[in-house]
Amino acid sequence: MPVKVHSNSTVYDSTSGNTGASEAYMCSLIGLPYIAVVAKDLEEEKVHQITSNGGKIMKVDVSLRNYHAQEEAKKNRGFFINQFGNAAESEEIHESGDFDFESTNMYHEIVSDLKKNNTQKKKYPDYFVHSSGTGGTITSVGRYTKRYDLPTKIVLADSEYSLFYDYVLSNMFTNASGTEYWVKPGIAGIGYGYNVKPVIYGETTSLQRSVIDEVVKMPDIASTAAMHVLRERGIDGGASTGLNFLVSLYKAYQEKDNKNLNGRLTIVTVICDPGEFYNSTYFNATWIEEVFAKRGGMKGLNCWKKVGLQPFLNAKKCVKAICH
């Protein structure tokens, strides 16, 4: 029998912070206690975000978050949300308005914004670039573009040691854990590798391989450098935003001389969460020196900013593609 939420249920979920804060808020609205099972080293900024919305915190080893959330729910007759397994089943719903197609997710919002922009002649983006936490967002956008045969290519941005790259390309790690390949810190909130279970669609992830057109993997220190570049340019995004931006720049650079493009190259990506959540980690020089010691620490990060990112940023065509 499926487990249901009752008026006296305690709700549990495994979270990297952002979804947990939303779940805590929703539970507080309906009067249910909520417990977020998080990694021991989760940023205190994210812990505060969850607790300030009414949630309680249970800290465990990152590889066992899902296990403990599920077991605690069973033991206490609570409800385990399992955002990682169920995200693709709860697509965002928006009113279609005057849009041509039935709307089921954020792609509708993207296209609506492009239609309203008189300077934007191309009304469907060439690429949608996004990383995968639960996999729900990029999967629902991919389903939508495939359902209506829209021209946007879906590009998964993946972190250095995540298994999603191999999962999407070759259906690997569906029968065995990849914890032996995972190297901390990764990119907060996204990627897969720390979980003791394999990549199982509908259980440990909502990332659907068949709707992804391309997957690009980037070094974690390069994604961190991209965060710093964005902040210096007035865009205060989090860790996965840095990765999204870096892969978007890469795609723009690839296409900068493409004579077959119909109109100006248009790439859409997402600012996933604010940079202030990472002031104690990815924006902290001491932390960077420690966790990226093998990559040169701050020297390595600054090298990526100067040598790795600057060629992209110097290509005006690339910057225009991302900024519009």
Side-chain angles (χ1 to χ4, degrees), residues 16-279:
S16 299
N18 295 326
T19 301
S22 300
E23 291 171 345
Y25 174 71
M26 293 304 297
C27 285
S28 70
L29 290 181
I30 59 176
L32 295 180
Y34 172 78
I35 297 178
V37 182
V38 304
K40 292 176 181 177
D41 55 356
L42 182 68
E43 290 87 354
E44 284 304 312
E45 295 92 337
K46 289 187 177 181
V47 170
H48 175 71
Q49 187 191 22
I50 294 168
T51 56
S52 64
N53 280 289
K56 293 184 178 180
I57 299 292
M58 178 180 178
K59 292 187 175 183
V60 300
D61 186 276
V62 66
S63 65
L64 296 171
R65 287 183 313 176
N66 272 21
Y67 169 79
H68 282 294
Q70 187 172 21
E71 288 303 304
E72 286 295 312
K74 283 182 182 178
K75 183 173 68 176
N76 298 305
R77 296 185 178 181
F79 181 78
F80 173 44
I81 293 178
N82 190 11
Q83 59 157 313
F84 292 94
N86 294 318
E89 302 304 320
S90 56
E91 298 177 343
E92 309 98 308
I93 303 297
H94 300 287
E95 290 295 327
S96 294
D98 60 353
F99 194 51
D100 298 335
F101 307 116
E102 178 186 3
S103 173
T104 56
N105 57 55
M106 71 156 58
Y107 191 84
H108 164 69
E109 300 298 298
I110 292 167
V111 175
S112 293
D113 285 345
L114 291 177
K115 283 188 173 184
K116 293 173 186 175
N117 187 343
N118 293 329
T119 66
Q120 178 66 37
K121 294 182 180 179
K122 188 176 288 185
K123 301 307 179 184
Y124 295 102
D126 296 290
Y127 293 100
F128 175 76
V129 175
H130 193 45
S131 48
S132 175
T134 64
T137 299
I138 193 168
T139 292
S140 63
V141 170
R143 284 176 176 173
Y144 190 87
T145 58
K146 302 298 184 286
R147 181 184 304 155
Y148 295 116
D149 195 26
L150 299 175
T152 304
K153 298 295 184 185
I154 308 301
V155 180
L156 172 65
D158 204 21
S159 59
E160 186 170 1
Y161 298 103
S162 170
L163 308 182
F164 280 145
Y165 181 88
D166 298 291
Y167 164 68
V168 170
L169 283 182
S170 308
N171 201 29
M172 293 175 63
F173 299 106
T174 54
N175 294 309
S177 169
T179 52
E180 62 184 294
Y181 302 106
W182 180 257
V183 178
K184 291 182 177 181
I187 294 299
I190 65 97
Y192 195 99
Y194 47 78
N195 197 322
V196 294
K197 285 191 173 184
V199 186
I200 305 171
Y201 179 74
E203 182 178 338
T204 61
T205 185
S206 290
L207 179 62
Q208 187 175 339
R209 297 174 57 240
S210 61
V211 300
I212 307 299
D213 297 299
E214 183 179 353
V215 56
V216 178
K217 182 188 286 276
M218 287 292 179
D220 292 340
I221 194 168
S223 299
T224 306
M227 289 173 66
H228 287 240
V229 168
L230 281 172
R231 177 172 274 192
E232 290 166 5
R233 289 169 177 255
I235 300 174
D236 198 26
S240 55
T241 301
L243 172 59
N244 289 349
F245 176 61
L246 184 58
V247 172
S248 297
L249 279 176
Y250 170 74
K251 290 305 302 177
Y253 192 78
Q254 272 191 328
E255 297 281 7
K256 67 183 178 67
D257 296 319
N258 186 349
K259 305 298 183 184
N260 297 319
L261 278 175
N262 180 22
R264 184 174 64 183
L265 176 66
T266 301
I267 299 173
V268 171
T269 190
V270 179
I271 299 176
C272 304
D273 57 6
E276 66 188 57
F277 288 173
Y278 304 95
N279 285 337

